[in-house]
Amino acid sequence: LVSYWAHGRILELLGVVGRAVGAIRETAYIGNLLDQCMYVGLSLSRVGLDIRGLVVPVFERRIAAIFEAHLARGAPQMTASLRQHRWRFAPAELKSAGILAAAADADAA
């Protein structure tokens, strides 16, 4: 009977943590909440209710989503910056990369 009650409370806690993590936009705040959840998990582990392994995937998904959002915002800016930059390479570097030889072969053909 107690194990069913504990299971329900753990699921409820995971739901609350999932909603809280979903509302966070900055990874620093996620780190703070993760530390708190690990502390709670450690405390609960003393009575056989270690939830730390259940909490980590919630944080992993949110961190991955934040990272993907930052990449999506930053990639066009990075692409634009790379296109605007005037690239200068020494012929030796181009030759060692196989680019100069390929360009010379293409010109000869």
Side-chain angles (χ1 to χ4, degrees), residues 21-44:
V21 169
I24 296 175
R25 304 285 180 243
E26 296 294 327
T27 54
Y29 298 125
I30 289 178
N32 188 6
L33 184 57
L34 178 60
D35 287 342
Q36 296 299 318
C37 287
M38 291 296 113
Y39 179 76
V40 168
L42 181 63
S43 295
L44 289 174

Side-chain angles (χ1 to χ4, degrees), residues 6 10 13-14 17 37-38 40-42 44-45 48-57:
I10 289 171
L13 177 64
L14 290 175
V17 169
C37 287
M38 291 296 113
V40 168
L42 181 63
L44 289 174
S45 71
L49 297 172
D50 191 355
I51 62 165
R52 291 176 291 181
L54 299 173
V55 171
V56 171

